[in-house]
C-alpha cells in the first residue's frame, strides 16, 4: 500500500485516465475524491470504489469555475481530513486548423486545461502547506506538452503551459515538501480519443483506420496505444515518491512516440 491514508483529489476522474488512476490509488490505500463535471458519473465511480472497500466521494465541479473548485476541494478535505495529492486531469479536445479555430473554442480549451490546473492547484496547495505533511501535484500533460500535431493549436499550447506551471509549483512548494510533476501520455483509447478519430478522418480526408495507423500511432515503436493502466502506474510513481528528488519533471509514456 504505497498511498495508505493519503487523500487524492482527482479531476476528470469519472472517465478514462482519471478513473483508472482513482482505481489504482484506491487499491494502494488512498481516500479518493472523484471530482468531475458529470456529477452523476462521479457519484457512480465513487460507488464503484466503495463497493471494493475503498473510501471515496463524488463531487461535481467545473474546473474553470473558481467557486466550484474551492467548494469541492473544501468538501473533499472536510470528508477525509485534508488533501495530499492533486491530479489535475480534466480535459477535452477540439480540433481545427488555426485559421478556422473560433476564439471562443480557443478560450474554452485554455480555460479547462490551464485555468483548471491553476485553480485546483491553488485550492489544494492551501491544504498541503497548512497540513505540513508535504504533498504531490500531478498534471496530466501529453506528448503534446513536448511536440505539436496538426489541428491542435490550443491543446498543444495548454499542454506545453502545464510544464511551466509544474516547474514553478515545484520551486515554490519545495520548502513545504510539495512536489509537482507532469505525465505526458501518447494516445490512449478513452472517449476523448474515440471522438477524435472520425473528426480527424473528416478534416484530413482519410479513413478512420488511416487516422489510427498513420496519424495517431505512426511514430510509436510498435504501433500500440498507451493504456489507462500505463498512465496510472506513472501517476503512482509520482504520487508515492517520498522526497523532493523527483520534482519539476515531465515523463513521457507513449510507446516511444516521443523520445527525449
Ligand atoms: P475522458 O474524456 O475519458 O475523461 C475526461 C473527464 O474530464 C470526463 O469525465 C469529463 O466529464 C471531465 N471534464 C471535462 N471537462 C471538465 C470540466 N470543465 N470540469 C471538470 N471535469 C471535466 O478523457 P481522457 O482521455 O481520460 O483525458 C484525461 C486527460 O488526459 C485530459 O487532460 C487529456 O488531455 C489527457 N490526455 C489524454 C490522452 C488520450 O489519448 N486519451 C493523451 C494524453 C493526455
Amino acid at each position: 500500500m504505497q498511498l495508505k491514508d493519503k487523500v487524492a483529489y482527482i479531476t476528470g476522474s469519472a472517465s478514462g485516465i482519471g478513473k483508472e488512476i482513482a482505481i489504482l490509488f484506491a487499491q494502494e490505500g488512498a481516500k479518493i475524491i472523484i471530482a468531475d463535471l458529470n456529477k452523476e458519473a462521479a457519484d457512480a465511480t465513487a460507488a464503484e470504489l466503495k463497493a471494493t472497500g475503498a473510501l471515496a466521494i463524488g463531487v461535481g465541479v467545473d474546473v474553470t469555475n473558481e467557486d466550484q473548485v474551492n467548494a469541492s476541494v473544501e468538501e473533499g478535505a472536510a470528508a477525509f481530513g485534508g488533501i495530499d495529492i492533486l491530479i489535475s486531469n480534466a480535459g477535452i479536445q477540439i480540433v481545427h486548423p488555426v485559421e478556422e479555430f473560433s476564439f471562443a473554442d480557443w478560450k474554452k480549451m485554455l480555460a479547462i486545461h490551464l485555468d483548471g490546473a491553476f485553480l485546483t492547484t491553488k485550492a489544494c496547495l492551501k491544504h498541503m502547506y497548512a497540513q505540513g505533511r508535504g504533498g504531490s501535484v500531478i498534471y496530466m500533460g501529453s506528448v503534446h506538452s513536448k511536440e505539436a500535431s496538426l489541428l491542435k493549436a490550443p491543446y498543444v499550447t495548454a499542454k506545453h503551459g502545464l510544464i511551466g506551471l509544474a516547474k514553478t509549483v515545484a520551486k515554490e512548494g519545495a520548502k513545504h515538501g510539495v512536489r509537482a510533476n507532469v505525465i505526458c501520455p501518447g494516445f490512449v483509447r478513452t472517449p476523448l480519443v474515440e471522438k477524435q478519430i472520425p473528426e480527424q478522418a473528416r478534416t484530413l480526408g482519410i479513413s478512420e483506420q488511416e487516422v489510427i495507423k498513420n496519424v495517431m500511432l505512426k511514430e510509436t515503436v510498435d504501433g500500440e496505444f498507451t493504456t489507462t493502466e500505463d498512465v496510472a502506474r506513472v501517476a503512482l510513481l509520482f504520487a508515492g515518491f517520498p522526497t523532493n528528488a523527483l520534482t519539476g519533471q515531465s515523463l513521457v509514456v507513449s510507446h516511444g512516440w516521443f523520445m527525449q
Side-chain angles (χ1 to χ4, degrees), residues 44-206:
T45 304
E48 278 177 46
L49 295 181
K50 282 196 275 188
T52 68
L55 286 176
I57 58 167
V59 292
V61 63
D62 178 346
V63 296
T64 68
N65 181 308
E66 184 170 17
D67 291 339
Q68 289 185 26
V69 168
N70 290 342
S72 65
V73 168
E74 290 316 309
E75 187 183 338
F80 294 140
I83 304 282
D84 300 289
I85 300 161
L86 163 65
I87 312 272
S88 171
N89 165 79
I92 64 164
Q93 181 60 282
I94 302 175
V95 293
H96 296 293
V98 172
E99 71 276 16
E100 289 171 20
F101 237 108
S102 75
F103 189 32
D105 279 345
W106 165 271
K107 284 192 278 197
K108 184 175 177 183
M109 287 293 289
L110 296 198
I112 293 174
H113 291 274
L114 286 180
D115 297 355
F118 164 72
L119 292 172
T120 52
T121 301
K122 189 175 172 193
C124 290
L125 281 183
K126 196 180 99 184
H127 288 278
M128 292 176 186
Y129 290 177
Q131 288 158 195
R133 55 183 197 239
S136 177
V137 176
I138 298 169
Y139 300 105
M140 197 53 62
S142 163
V143 164
H144 290 112
S145 299
K146 313 261 177 186
E147 182 61 274
S149 288
L150 297 172
L151 313 178
K152 296 188 175 174
Y155 189 82
V156 170
T157 303
K159 292 299 191 189
H160 275 67
L162 290 176
I163 291 186
L165 179 60
K167 288 178 176 175
T168 309
V169 174
K171 290 203 170 186
E172 292 184 6
K175 62 179 177 291
H176 303 279
V178 172
R179 295 165 289 107
N181 293 289
V182 186
I183 305 174
C184 302
F187 281 101
V188 183
R189 279 199 99 151
T190 65
L192 179 140
V193 160
E194 294 296 346
K195 180 172 162 279
Q196 280 175 63
I197 296 170
E199 284 174 358
Q200 292 216 22
R202 262 195 315 277
T203 313
L204 299 172
I206 57 179

